[in-house]
Amino acid sequence: MSSTFAGIEMGKRSLLAHSQAISTAGHNISNADTEGYSRQRVQISQYDPLYRPDLNRAETAGQIGQGISAQSIERVRDEMLDSRIVAQANQESYWSTRENYYSMIENVFNDLGESSVRSNMDKFWESWQELALYPETKAARQAVVTRGETLAESIRQQYTSLSGIGTLLNGDIEATVSQINDYAERIAALNKEISRSEAIGDKPNDLYDQRDLMVDKLSKLADITTERRDRDEFMVHVGGRVLVQGGVARGFNVEPTLDNSGYSKVVWSDTGKDVEVSGGSLGALIELRDVDLRNEIQNLNTMTMNFADLVNDIHRNGIGANSVTGLDFFVEQPFVANNMGNFDRDGDGVEDTSYIFRMTGSNTLDPQQQTGLEGTITISGHSGNIAVNYYSTDTVETIVNRINDSDGEVKAYLDRNNNLVLKGTTASSENNPDFVIRHVEDSGFFLSGYAGLLAESGEAGAYDFAQANAVNALAGVGAESISGNGGVAQYAVAPVLNPAGYVAVNSAITNDILSVAAASHSREGTVEIGDGSAALAIANIRNTQVMIGSSNTIDDYFADTLTRVGLKGEQAQVNYENQVAVMSSLENLRDSISGVNIDEELADVLKFQHGYNAAAKLVTIMDKMLDTILGLGA
């Protein structure tokens, strides 16, 4: 049986529901400009009727309605769309970061300025060409020295600029890690608050919005995924590993790398294992620093080392106007002071490694001559050693090319005296040193008896850098060459890390420009007047195939570098613009669903206001009806 006051109760429920709807619309209007806010709607439904269809119900014409009730307040949100945005946001941030930094790298390699390495290199070759024509003039020698100093300074400046970008990248990595940890902790804290609210049946919409906003921001920093296994456990993953699980955040740490670069690596704070992140700004920053920038610095170092080494090779064998010979034109700082390249790599106080950059055989070879030998040359590669086979019909040039075409980190060429030269290149792995020959072995006799490089063939005669005094494996150094000609292989100690930052003109030459070697030794050991053959040979290096990495000539290096940097910058720009367009479309779609429309909210306020007024009128009428009933009793 319905109550006499049922009408009053019905009106009250209607007043409360419409009041809640008006308050929610006002809340939406107030947060129209709040970042991450999703509009909310009151879910109004019919209140349970007075009678239910069971055996105890009174005989009435039907169920008696009791008005409305505000069941819940729901966010207007599309979870599938949110997932797409989270997955896409890391790509936009990734390409945005690459575009920003590649614009900086492109400025470093700008080839239009008078102070660029390319411009100064051209002037350097021209000065040697001039000296070859006028070897008797001091002015031509002074031009060689001055332009050599300018070139060395521009190379050092380019390295400094690239190194500065690396420092910026490292600082951004550390700052981004701090941001990720902050967002992770805030998400974990919000998870706790949300769980408490949900436990008592509430829907903490504003907390949901705050958590989604943190997830959106986090998705721009790393390639994250989210998962909700049950009601109380919201999870965030990075690289397939848990970053946030419910109210617990793991977080990242930064630790110094082991390669003496001064950079930091990102590790998990609890396990110390390396973090694998491939997207977002953090993924872009790590890739830019450890791959892109490292490669550009390695290429600059490679060009510098080979360029200086080739100039020095000719200059050492030339002779100056003051009859001085045997001088290197450029000088580099050696990695170790030990003249055998011995180094204590593990820091236990005992020399255990040999750092050798170049080794030169003692025998003069004919590049077109067939060797008549068969065997396998083993050299260090990107990951482990690799084998290079040679056959009896191969010429010396064929074997040299086969070594260079392999995936090894040792390159070969014949110097101006047609001696075989092996050089260490930059290492693809950060665990291996740059410009260090790590392994050379020959099962046959090409490197030993024929080229006069190794003292013995086979495994017993292999050169391996993982020991002190490894140079004793070279012909005539630690043991007599099996060629029997008494020749001694030559070698050079590896340079200090990043030789492009230390290259300079020999002070012995800057102090006396007459020491510039323009002439070559005659058969009688004298210098002919007007001889500029050494200067001409140095000038010709410009167009000589010197096997600088994948480039054939020094001019190829500049062309390859500018093309590579320009194309990567263009790729970053195009992909960033594409990602901006995709993200803009997704965000506009989300705004159309979850964003606050002021006009729509005001219309709702008016609608609910009319409903509120009608409910109030109902309460007034019911009150008058009760007054009538009570008045009859009087």
Side-chain angles (χ1 to χ4, degrees):
M1 166 174 189
S2 62
S3 169
T4 305
F5 296 93
I8 295 290
E9 185 65 24
M10 185 185 303
K12 184 192 76 171
R13 292 193 189 100
S14 181
L15 288 172
L16 292 175
H18 283 88
S19 177
Q20 184 64 64
I22 292 173
S23 297
T24 301
H27 184 57
N28 290 338
I29 294 172
S30 300
N31 288 279
D33 296 323
T34 301
E35 184 182 13
Y37 179 79
S38 302
R39 63 190 176 99
Q40 301 175 15
R41 285 289 178 264
V42 176
Q43 300 299 318
I44 297 176
S45 62
Q46 293 174 328
Y47 198 78
D48 290 341
L50 184 60
Y51 291 122
R52 307 184 68 175
D54 53 37
L55 297 178
N56 297 324
R57 62 170 288 176
E59 292 184 7
T60 63
Q63 292 183 338
I64 301 174
Q66 298 191 84
I68 63 172
S69 173
Q71 294 293 326
S72 64
I73 301 176
E74 303 284 350
R75 294 190 306 160
V76 181
R77 197 89 177 189
D78 187 332
E79 293 185 1
M80 292 296 294
L81 180 59
D82 288 343
S83 299
R84 288 185 60 193
I85 290 176
V86 168
Q88 196 71 36
N90 76 84
Q91 289 298 306
E92 180 189 21
S93 181
Y94 173 86
W95 289 111
S96 173
T97 303
R98 286 186 64 84
E99 184 197 29
N100 290 337
Y101 270 97
Y102 255 100
S103 64
M104 299 170 63
I105 296 174
E106 285 178 328
N107 288 334
V108 172
F109 287 102
N110 188 348
D111 204 40
L112 301 177
E114 288 295 319
S115 61
S116 68
V117 175
R118 175 62 181 270
S119 176
N120 288 319
M121 182 74 77
D122 290 341
K123 294 176 182 178
F124 181 71
W125 299 132
E126 291 169 1
S127 66
W128 282 104
Q129 188 74 42
E130 187 75 10
L131 180 60
L133 295 175
Y134 308 103
E136 68 282 356
T137 64
K138 284 188 176 182
R141 295 176 186 272
Q142 184 63 61
V144 166
V145 173
T146 301
R147 290 180 176 177
E149 290 177 318
T150 303
L151 174 59
E153 172 61 28
S154 64
I155 292 174
R156 295 195 300 268
Q157 181 59 46
Q158 190 168 96
Y159 165 74
T160 301
S161 298
L162 292 174
S163 178
I165 294 175
T167 302
L168 288 175
L169 284 165
N170 192 67
D172 279 353
I173 289 172
E174 294 179 351
T176 303
V177 166
S178 179
Q179 283 183 293
I180 289 175
N181 289 338
D182 179 56
Y183 289 144
E185 291 171 0
R186 292 166 70 177
I187 291 172
L190 286 167
N191 283 343
K192 293 180 181 178
E193 294 297 322
I194 290 171
S195 295
R196 292 191 188 101
S197 296
E198 290 178 337
I200 60 175
D202 287 343
K203 286 187 176 293
N205 295 321
D206 291 337
L207 296 181
Y208 289 149
D209 282 342
Q210 292 178 36
R211 184 173 67 184
D212 287 344
L213 178 60
M214 293 298 103
V215 170
D216 285 348
K217 291 182 179 294
L218 186 58
S219 68
K220 295 180 180 179
L221 303 181
D223 52 329
I224 67 169
T225 56
T226 59
E227 179 185 5
R228 186 161 188 166
R229 292 185 178 176
D230 54 49
R231 180 176 179 180
D232 300 322
E233 193 172 71
F234 180 84
M235 302 175 67
V236 179
H237 298 84
V238 174
R241 298 182 181 273
V242 176
L243 176 64
V244 179
Q245 184 172 11
V248 179
R250 292 178 64 192
F252 301 156
N253 278 344
V254 289
E255 296 179 353
T257 57
L258 301 178
D259 56 2
N260 298 318
S261 63
Y263 293 156
S264 302
K265 64 177 181 177
V266 184
V267 299
W268 289 98
S269 57
D270 52 356
T271 64
K273 294 183 178 180
D274 291 349
V275 173
E276 296 180 2
V277 54
S278 58
S281 58
L282 180 60
L285 290 169
I286 293 176
E287 184 180 6
L288 280 163
R289 186 195 67 182
D290 296 345
V291 179
D292 295 81
L293 192 67
R294 181 172 181 260
N295 287 343
E296 294 307 331
I297 291 178
Q298 284 186 328
N299 287 333
L300 179 63
N301 286 331
T302 300
M303 185 278 293
T304 302
M305 280 299 301
N306 283 274
F307 154 74
D309 197 53
L310 290 167
V311 171
N312 289 342
D313 181 43
I314 298 174
H315 197 273
R316 265 194 314 271
N317 292 285
I319 186 169
N322 55 4
S323 299
V324 172
T325 188
L327 287 179
D328 286 340
F329 187 85
F330 292 106
V331 292
E332 289 279 358
Q333 295 187 23
F335 186 81
V336 291
N338 186 295
N339 60 4
M340 298 185 74
N342 294 337
F343 177 63
D344 175 19
R345 195 178 187 193
D346 58 13
D348 62 355
V350 178
E351 295 174 338
D352 53 23
T353 314
S354 297
Y355 275 46
I356 300 300
F357 162 61
R358 181 187 71 244
M359 52 181 67
T360 306
S362 59
N363 297 337
T364 301
L365 306 180
D366 180 354
Q368 304 305 323
Q369 183 180 29
Q370 292 183 342
T371 64
L373 301 172
E374 292 187 1
T376 300
I377 297 173
T378 305
I379 56 177
S380 49
H382 298 315
S383 56
N385 296 330
I386 63 173
V388 179
N389 297 318
Y390 60 91
Y391 309 97
S392 59
T393 56
D394 288 337
T395 64
V396 171
E397 185 178 45
T398 300
I399 298 174
V400 168
N401 291 337
R402 196 169 292 151
I403 293 174
N404 293 329
D405 292 338
S406 71
D407 198 30
E409 294 185 341
V410 175
K411 298 302 179 183
Y413 69 94
L414 298 180
D415 65 11
R416 63 192 305 268
N417 296 318
N418 279 338
N419 297 128
L420 178 66
V421 180
L422 297 183
K423 287 184 179 180
T425 66
T426 54
S428 61
S429 172
E430 295 181 2
N431 297 323
N432 293 324
D434 289 339
F435 305 113
V436 171
I437 299 175
R438 300 192 301 277
H439 190 87
V440 177
E441 180 182 341
D442 187 0
S443 65
F445 296 95
F446 177 72
L447 295 182
S448 53
Y450 195 83
L453 187 66
L454 296 178
E456 299 179 29
S457 63
E459 184 177 352
Y463 169 92
D464 193 273
F465 89 126
Q467 59 183 319
N469 301 321
V471 293
N472 287 336
L474 302 183
V477 177
E480 186 176 354
S481 171
I482 63 172
S483 63
N485 63 5
V488 178
Q490 303 296 316
Y491 63 88
V493 176
V496 72
L497 184 67
N498 297 314
Y502 302 94
V503 64
V505 177
N506 194 332
S507 59
I509 294 176
T510 58
N511 293 333
D512 184 6
I513 61 173
L514 295 179
S515 297
V516 174
S520 300
H521 290 280
S522 65
R523 294 182 178 178
E524 294 77 18
T526 60
V527 178
E528 298 181 2
I529 298 176
D531 181 14
S533 56
L536 182 61
I538 292 177
N540 288 336
I541 292 175
R542 176 176 188 172
N543 299 313
T544 302
Q545 292 189 352
V546 293
M547 293 306 301
I548 303 177
S550 60
S551 306
N552 290 324
T553 68
I554 292 177
D555 280 351
D556 288 340
Y557 158 78
F558 290 109
D560 292 346
T561 299
L562 291 175
T563 301
R564 180 177 59 253
V565 171
L567 289 176
K568 285 189 174 182
E570 180 184 14
Q571 178 193 39
Q573 181 182 5
V574 170
N575 284 322
Y576 172 60
E577 291 174 353
N578 290 338
Q579 292 300 321
V580 167
V582 172
M583 280 297 295
S584 178
S585 176
L586 292 174
E587 289 174 346
N588 288 338
L589 180 58
R590 181 168 67 180
D591 288 343
S592 69
I593 296 172
S594 303
V596 176
N597 185 307
I598 299 295
D599 293 336
E600 183 180 346
E601 299 301 325
L602 289 174
D604 283 346
V605 168
L606 294 175
K607 179 178 70 175
F608 294 129
Q609 181 186 11
H610 288 307
Y612 185 90
N613 291 338
K617 186 66 173 178
L618 172 63
V619 172
T620 301
I621 292 172
M622 296 304 298
D623 179 58
K624 290 180 179 180
M625 291 172 64
L626 289 173
D627 285 343
T628 301
I629 294 173
L630 294 174
L632 292 175

